[in-house]
Amino acid sequence: MSSDDSYERGLLATERLLGQRLDIPMGAGEPDSGRDFRKLAIAHTFGDSWVRTGLDERGRGLVSVAIAATLGTLGPLRGQLRIALNSGVSPDEIVELFIHLQAYAGAARAFEGYQVAMEVFAERAERG
């Protein structure tokens, strides 16, 4: 299986999980090799990992939110929250995740991530 196949699978997975294909624009002054980075990241993350069958998308969504929140990667956390909600995880389950995360990763880290979750919940409520 080629990396092009994984990339295409990844784009299809992002469309399903996010409601649109993930498009990460090149940054100002970024070298052309940045396109390779983006392509490999989408291929590996979404084309190779998210499509596996050992966990369902709902479970992967919860795990991914917990990882992003624990690492403090707030930009990716926003996307993982959207994916989790689109995969059937309820806002109440996400709140429970942050309560549990507080016990194991610390209150400051959990609170910081929880603020991002509140923003994503509000964004979804505005869209109806």
Side-chain angles (χ1 to χ4, degrees):
M1 191 170 322
S2 75
S3 64
D4 287 338
D5 292 338
S6 292
Y7 179 65
E8 281 306 313
R9 269 197 324 274
L11 289 176
L12 290 172
T14 64
E15 191 169 7
R16 186 179 68 256
L17 294 165
L18 293 167
Q20 64 186 25
R21 284 184 176 221
L22 183 60
D23 179 30
I24 307 169
M26 296 287 286
E30 185 175 0
D32 286 341
S33 59
R35 282 183 182 72
D36 294 335
F37 172 78
R38 283 159 175 66
K39 186 175 180 179
L40 289 169
I42 289 171
H44 179 65
T45 302
F46 292 100
D48 294 333
S49 180
W50 271 91
V51 298
R52 293 180 56 80
T53 59
L55 290 173
D56 63 9
E57 287 182 354
R58 193 177 175 292
R60 285 186 199 284
L62 281 167
V63 168
S64 297
V65 168
I67 291 168
T70 300
L71 293 173
T73 54
L74 302 182
L77 173 59
R78 185 176 308 282
Q80 295 305 329
L81 285 160
R82 289 179 183 129
I83 288 171
L85 291 165
N86 289 343
S87 298
V89 176
S90 74
D92 285 325
E93 289 172 309
I94 290 172
V95 171
E96 287 296 326
L97 181 149
F98 279 99
I99 290 168
H100 197 67
L101 189 113
Q102 179 179 349
Y104 286 92
R109 185 55 47 102
F111 185 77
E112 185 176 48
Y114 187 74
Q115 297 310 303
V116 174
M118 295 302 95
E119 292 169 12
V120 172
F121 294 163
E123 151 191 307
R124 285 178 65 90
E126 289 173 7
R127 284 196 327 249

